[in-house]
Amino acid sequence: MNIAIGSDHGGFELKEKIKPLIVELGHDVEDVGCYSMDSVDYPEQAKAVSKMVAEGKADRGILICGTGIGMSLAANRCKGIRAALCHELFTARMSRKHNDANILCMGGRVIGPELAKEMVKIWLATEFEGGRHKRRIDMIDGVC
Ligand code: RB5
């Protein structure tokens, strides 16, 4: 798969640790920044990754800020994006099985790199179950 990844300064260090794993797992990775610990505004990277996924230029996306909250709020404003903020393995897996999440958000100041790597492995490998869950995700755009 083509994986788009982005972070702000709060997620930069974790992003740098996640990128080689994605390649090791046999995927292509496109990094939209940021590229240092200098302070940036997370909606910029959220927009870049969300657009790539929504337009089919990336199969999935990963967004990391300090908490993951800002990235998930911003990404979910983009039509076609289902961004899941996860901090442990169960929700990472379920966000794929039941929600067909196409962006994984994580908090670089919340979880450590080893847990984050396990989450990414599971999240990239888990398929959407479809069925009743497809009906439910199709209803999301109609919420308001
Ligand atoms: C940046 O200091 C921080 O606010 C940001 O990384 C993120 O946690 C926002 O949700």
Side-chain angles (χ1 to χ4, degrees):
M1 289 191 286
N2 291 323
I3 310 299
I5 193 166
S7 77
D8 73 354
H9 50 290
F12 173 72
E13 285 181 322
L14 185 56
K15 171 169 69 66
E16 294 306 300
K17 289 177 178 148
I18 294 294
K19 279 194 297 181
L21 170 72
I22 298 171
V23 175
E24 259 172 51
L25 293 170
H27 305 289
D28 294 320
V29 64
E30 184 158 344
D31 185 356
V32 306
C34 61
Y35 304 112
S36 78
M37 293 289 287
D38 294 346
S39 182
V40 296
D41 299 326
Y42 59 80
E44 299 284 354
Q45 289 74 35
K47 182 177 178 181
V49 167
S50 300
K51 262 177 79 80
M52 286 181 68
V53 175
E55 291 171 1
K57 292 174 183 151
D59 299 298
R60 305 239 199 114
I62 296 176
L63 284 167
I64 310 169
C65 61
T67 60
I69 295 171
M71 286 296 194
S72 60
L73 292 175
N76 278 313
R77 289 295 182 98
C78 181
K79 194 170 162 53
I81 293 303
R82 291 174 300 281
L85 172 56
C86 301
H87 290 131
E88 32 66 40
L89 301 175
F90 179 71
T91 49
R93 181 182 290 109
M94 295 309 286
S95 76
R96 288 290 312 137
K97 283 173 78 131
H98 284 192
N99 310 109
D100 198 17
N102 49 15
I103 294 185
L104 173 66
C105 299
M106 296 185 288
R109 296 172 180 157
V110 181
I111 56 172
E114 295 314 314
L115 174 56
K117 285 179 193 169
E118 287 307 309
M119 288 169 56
V120 167
K121 271 190 211 168
I122 284 173
W123 190 77
L124 291 177
T126 304
E127 293 300 324
F128 179 46
E129 278 182 3
R132 67 188 187 283
H133 303 297
K134 172 79 171 89
R135 182 181 72 244
R136 291 164 185 165
I137 64 168
D138 286 345
M139 291 169 69
I140 291 175
D141 278 342
V143 167
C144 68

